Amino acid sequence: MDRNTLIGLGLIGVILAVFTYVNQPSPEEIQAQQEKVQQELEQRRMLEQQNEANESAIKLSLPENVVAKLDSKGNQVKDSIGQLVYMDTLLLRDTIFIAKAAVAESAVIEKTEASDDFKGEVITLENNKIFLEISTKGGGVVGAYLKEHQTYDDFVKNEPGTITPIKLFDDENSTNQLSFSMNGEEITTGNKPFEIIKQTEDYIELRHVFDANKSISFVYSILPENHHINYSIKMNGFEGAVLPQNVFLDWQTDLLKSERLLSEQRRTSTVFFKGVNDSYDYLSEFSDDDYSPELDVEWVAFKQSYFSTIMMPENGFKKDGTEFSVKNYGEGDEKDSSHVKLYTAKMNLNISETGNGIASMNWFFGPNDYYLLEQYQNDTEDIINLGWGLFRWVNIYAIQPIFTWLSSFGFNLGLAILLLTFIVKIALTPIQWKMYSSSAKMKILKPDIEELNKKYPNKEDAMKKQMEMMSMYRESGASPLSGCIPMLIQTPILFAVFRFFPSSFELRQKSFLWAEDLSSYDSIYDFGFNIPLYGDHISLFTLLMAGTTLVYTIMNSGNMQQPSQPGMPNMKIIMYIFPFMMIFFFNNFSSGLSYYYFISTLMSILTMLMIKNFFVDEEKLKAKMAARKATAQSKGGKTGKKSKFQERLEQMQKAQQEKLKGKK
């Protein structure tokens, strides 16, 4: 080290010594600094004691969705003033919990409600049939999709074999929540945050904690091949605060449009329900309606034309406070062109207790398929509109089994309808034969009947005319009723299929010839505008049906009698008008139905021609009737035992004659 370096270091040392001496604190300043340090140490010690007490209280009743926030070393994070920081795993945000004064020897934790703009997390539950969206805001199902089906718009847009799952409803159009009264306040769960307790591929459990003791849980589970989920509602810790009979399940849904013609979809859409040990009932399908059931409810269905969502509780819903309603959308409403109807159900949950109670149910999302719904063995298949009384029995025990059997062979459903019509017509051929034979006999007797009308033109001779006419029928073997009875036998089938084809889910989105969807109308030309009472298109199957009906009417017009009394309607004119009315009435109906009526009437025409040309010879029949009449006259008009109707008619005639004698 040289001399210059030594001199520099010496000067630096002198300068530092002088600076230290000049800036050293006074005794007063040293004492003040020591006091400040002591105060800071005391404050830190007090805060640590307070936080330890708070932490102990919080641990007693810490919600399951709240966990301690830890740093990288595993220590709990504290804020700037030493308070413990926790993580809310539901809302994904930090929070500070401060223990309040003990109530009933337990700490109560203050927790805020979810704000209106809180969206929640959407989680999914699915199998190979359905796909459900469940929100942590409210814990309810907010979206339902059917994987094997699609809307009509997607059907005509997608490539064959491609399916865009149909959406029954979404989060903007569905609410399912609990509502109950607690401490004079009406509580609903629709906006409350729910924590995911457990989630697997086929199981979801959500919970909302009200305080240290009170919580509500929603549990959803699903099996692979089912169209329903198992849905359970659990209430814990509400004993004494909430009465079981005051707990309701509020369910509201706007079902979305899925078919080609929304007006037809709405025509069979409403709320269905079934009373315990009673038959099903439903609200109006045409107007707004509401109803409070008089019996406990076994199940409730929000039904539209081809799909439904149905709640089937294990123990039923109690009738007390239960209400159903359905509302249509008026013209100009923003939902008038996109939604079917507004369905609302407020149902008494029938929970056994609120301290540790549970209510379980099956919740169905799927098609209105008769055999699918029949598997639940609770009459939910009754929501399918197959007619009432005798007509429904014909569909259930005859038409539907035959059609299902034919469909099982893999035929195109248009061909299956053709074969069904053929089978029905073969079964009814003896009846049609009887009808034609009776019609031929009446045609032969028509000149004699006209002579009787001329012989007895006055009203006071009506009884005599009727007696001679009955004698003529008896002698010839003809009867006007023999043609009516076969017609009455065929009528149930005629009306049964009127309900069957528009309600048959099997026809939905199945094409045949020019009809792209047999469950909807077929169109060979679209006008681009609507014609009142007709529509915006031309249905070819409807035109063919009306044409064959007109031909059939003409073929039978010769057997129609003209009205014998003034003021009576002319049936011939009415029968000619009917085919033209069908063009307007059936234009928007299912093309499968129009196709069936067309084929059925065409087969009736062919059957009639075959009977007339090969089986019934009118000349031989006329000779046979003449021989029978001659035989009867040779025996004094006695051809056998008189019917009760004929006996009563003769008694009425004698009584009338005695009355006339008395007047004279």
Side-chain angles (χ1 to χ4, degrees):
M1 184 179 295
D2 58 12
R3 186 178 61 180
N4 292 334
T5 303
L6 291 174
I7 293 173
L9 291 174
L11 290 174
I12 291 173
V14 171
I15 293 172
L16 289 174
V18 173
F19 181 80
T20 302
Y21 177 78
V22 173
N23 290 283
Q24 66 180 350
S26 63
E28 293 80 6
E29 291 176 338
I30 293 174
Q31 185 178 356
Q33 184 66 28
Q34 290 175 347
E35 291 177 353
K36 182 178 180 181
V37 171
Q38 189 66 27
Q39 289 176 356
E40 290 179 352
L41 291 174
E42 183 66 22
Q43 289 177 355
R44 184 178 295 276
R45 184 181 63 82
M46 292 177 64
L47 285 173
E48 288 178 353
Q49 291 177 351
Q50 181 181 357
N51 288 336
E52 289 176 359
N54 289 345
E55 184 177 8
S56 298
I58 290 172
K59 288 180 179 178
L60 293 175
S61 57
L62 192 66
E64 294 186 13
N65 61 299
V66 176
V67 297
K69 185 175 183 179
L70 305 178
D71 59 18
S72 59
K73 296 181 180 180
N75 299 319
Q76 185 167 1
V77 176
K78 299 180 180 180
D79 67 357
S80 59
I81 62 173
Q83 296 183 117
L84 298 174
V85 178
Y86 292 84
M87 169 63 73
D88 189 326
T89 59
L90 181 61
L91 302 179
L92 301 179
R93 66 185 184 190
D94 295 346
T95 185
I96 303 296
F97 283 85
I98 303 174
K100 291 186 173 182
V103 178
E105 299 182 354
S106 64
V108 179
I109 296 178
E110 208 174 59
K111 187 172 181 180
T112 58
E113 296 289 333
S115 60
D116 291 338
D117 58 352
F118 167 63
K119 298 298 183 184
E121 178 186 355
V122 175
I123 51 181
T124 60
L125 187 67
E126 62 179 303
N127 60 11
N128 56 343
K129 301 290 185 182
I130 60 178
F131 176 86
L132 303 179
E133 295 176 333
I134 302 170
S135 175
T136 57
K137 180 178 181 180
V141 177
V142 296
Y145 300 78
L146 305 182
K147 291 185 173 182
E148 298 178 325
H149 310 286
Q150 57 187 335
T151 65
Y152 174 81
D153 293 337
D154 288 331
F155 165 68
V156 297
K157 178 179 62 178
N158 291 342
E159 294 293 330
T162 304
I163 293 180
T164 302
I166 187 174
K167 179 166 62 174
L168 298 182
F169 57 84
D170 54 30
D171 58 344
E172 295 181 357
N173 306 288
S174 179
T175 300
N176 53 282
Q177 62 180 356
L178 286 190
S179 65
F180 52 88
S181 179
M182 184 172 65
N183 299 326
E185 180 183 359
E186 190 66 25
I187 306 296
T188 58
T189 61
N191 284 324
K192 295 188 181 297
F194 278 70
E195 173 193 3
I196 303 174
I197 303 301
K198 182 180 178 181
Q199 180 180 6
T200 65
E201 290 184 354
D202 55 7
Y203 181 93
I204 294 175
E205 182 176 358
L206 302 171
R207 181 183 299 163
H208 173 76
V209 177
F210 285 81
D211 58 31
N213 301 314
K214 299 181 180 66
S215 66
I216 290 178
S217 299
F218 294 154
V219 179
Y220 305 91
S221 62
I222 194 170
L223 293 175
E225 296 297 326
N226 287 348
H227 276 90
H228 73 268
I229 60 172
N230 300 315
Y231 176 38
S232 297
I233 300 170
K234 300 178 181 179
M235 296 188 71
N236 294 293
F238 290 91
E239 68 276 15
V242 178
L243 298 176
Q245 62 267 30
N246 291 339
V247 181
F248 292 87
L249 178 60
D250 293 341
W251 183 26
Q252 179 174 300
T253 299
D254 289 299
L255 292 181
L256 295 166
K257 174 189 175 184
S258 59
E259 308 308 315
R260 184 177 192 177
L261 195 59
L262 185 54
S263 60
E264 288 299 304
Q265 187 174 358
R266 286 172 173 158
R267 192 171 55 84
T268 56
S269 301
T270 190
V271 177
F272 276 74
F273 55 93
K274 181 182 183 295
V276 175
N277 299 323
D278 194 19
S279 59
Y280 74 96
D281 201 351
Y282 57 95
L283 303 186
S284 172
E285 295 175 320
F286 302 101
S287 60
D288 297 351
D289 197 8
D290 59 79
Y291 182 72
S292 298
E294 299 176 357
L295 298 172
D296 291 347
V297 178
E298 189 172 335
W299 49 259
V300 180
F302 288 176
K303 185 239 180 189
Q304 49 120 315
S305 54
Y306 290 111
F307 299 98
S308 294
T309 172
I310 309 173
M311 284 190 177
M312 299 174 274
E314 185 177 303
N315 298 319
F317 296 121
K318 290 187 69 67
K319 65 179 180 178
D320 302 323
T322 297
E323 299 173 343
F324 307 123
S325 69
V326 63
K327 179 183 177 183
N328 292 272
Y329 297 108
E331 186 175 353
D333 192 292
E334 60 179 4
K335 295 183 178 181
D336 183 42
S337 60
S338 58
H339 294 72
V340 181
K341 292 179 181 178
L342 173 61
Y343 304 77
T344 303
K346 180 180 181 181
M347 299 161 291
N348 190 316
L349 196 57
N350 195 16
I351 196 167
S352 58
E353 57 172 314
T354 56
N356 186 24
I358 182 170
S360 300
M361 67 189 75
N362 289 336
W363 195 350
F364 175 88
F365 305 87
N368 297 331
D369 183 292
Y370 185 89
Y371 295 109
L372 172 63
L373 293 173
E374 190 181 37
Q375 296 174 9
Y376 290 95
Q377 299 181 355
N378 57 7
D379 298 331
T380 48
E381 68 273 13
D382 288 343
I383 68 175
I384 302 174
N385 190 359
L386 294 177
W388 55 271
L390 177 61
F391 308 129
R392 185 176 184 85
W393 298 341
V394 170
N395 276 327
I396 292 175
Y397 299 112
I399 301 298
Q400 184 167 257
I402 295 174
F403 184 71
T404 303
W405 175 67
L406 293 172
S407 302
S408 66
F409 289 99
F411 296 138
N412 178 285
L413 290 190
L415 181 58
I417 293 175
L418 177 64
L419 294 175
L420 170 67
T421 312
F422 183 75
I423 292 173
V424 170
K425 283 300 178 182
I426 289 295
L428 295 177
T429 297
I431 296 176
Q432 192 163 6
W433 189 335
K434 183 68 175 177
M435 285 180 61
Y436 182 81
S437 298
S438 176
S439 175
K441 289 179 180 180
M442 294 302 296
K443 184 178 179 181
I444 293 170
L445 292 178
K446 189 175 180 180
D448 297 333
I449 293 173
E450 291 176 351
E451 287 296 325
L452 278 177
N453 290 331
K454 294 177 181 179
K455 182 178 179 181
Y456 299 105
N458 301 322
K459 290 184 179 180
E460 55 268 20
D461 297 326
M463 190 66 69
K464 291 182 179 179
K465 180 175 69 175
Q466 191 66 32
M467 285 298 299
E468 289 194 25
M469 194 173 294
M470 294 301 296
S471 297
M472 181 175 59
Y473 289 150
R474 187 171 64 251
E475 291 170 356
S476 62
S479 172
L481 296 179
S482 61
C484 298
I485 293 175
M487 177 60 73
L488 291 176
I489 295 174
Q490 293 187 85
T491 299
I493 298 177
L494 184 70
F495 283 98
V497 296
F498 179 76
R499 287 299 188 185
F500 175 74
F501 286 110
S503 301
S504 177
F505 184 79
E506 292 83 354
L507 294 182
R508 187 176 184 270
Q509 296 179 1
K510 297 298 189 295
S511 60
F512 178 66
L513 300 178
W514 58 85
E516 58 187 4
D517 183 355
L518 286 171
S519 70
S520 181
Y521 62 83
D522 63 297
S523 176
I524 57 171
Y525 183 76
D526 294 326
F527 298 128
F529 57 88
N530 186 68
I531 299 177
L533 302 178
Y534 184 67
D536 59 358
H537 61 276
I538 297 176
S539 169
L540 181 55
F541 276 134
T542 300
L543 293 179
L544 292 173
M545 175 188 64
T548 52
T549 303
L550 181 61
V551 172
Y552 186 78
T553 302
I554 294 172
M555 291 178 65
N556 288 278
S557 62
N559 301 325
M560 298 179 189
Q561 297 184 25
Q562 296 296 326
S564 57
Q565 300 295 333
M568 295 290 290
N570 191 327
M571 291 302 298
K572 185 177 291 189
I573 296 177
I574 293 176
M575 294 303 293
Y576 282 145
I577 293 175
F578 182 69
F580 294 99
M581 293 175 60
M582 295 173 69
I583 295 176
F584 293 88
F585 187 73
F586 283 89
N587 194 57
N588 290 327
F589 269 50
S590 160
S591 55
L593 177 64
S594 301
Y595 170 59
Y596 173 86
Y597 280 152
F598 159 60
I599 295 296
S600 178
T601 309
L602 182 61
M603 287 186 178
S604 295
I605 294 172
L606 295 176
T607 303
M608 183 177 292
L609 291 174
M610 290 178 63
I611 292 173
K612 180 179 180 180
N613 294 322
F614 300 102
F615 298 100
V616 177
D617 189 328
E618 291 188 11
E619 293 299 324
K620 289 183 179 180
L621 183 61
K622 186 175 181 179
K624 185 178 180 180
M625 289 174 63
R628 180 185 174 94
K629 183 177 180 180
T631 302
Q633 290 175 348
S634 66
K635 294 181 180 181
K638 297 180 180 181
T639 58
K641 187 178 179 180
K642 297 179 182 179
S643 67
K644 292 183 178 180
F645 176 73
Q646 291 172 335
E647 291 176 354
R648 285 197 300 268
L649 203 60
E650 289 181 356
Q651 291 173 2
M652 290 172 61
Q653 184 185 24
K654 291 178 180 179
Q656 187 179 27
Q657 290 174 349
E658 292 295 330
K659 188 176 180 180
L660 290 173
K661 289 180 180 179
K663 286 183 178 181
K664 292 180 180 179

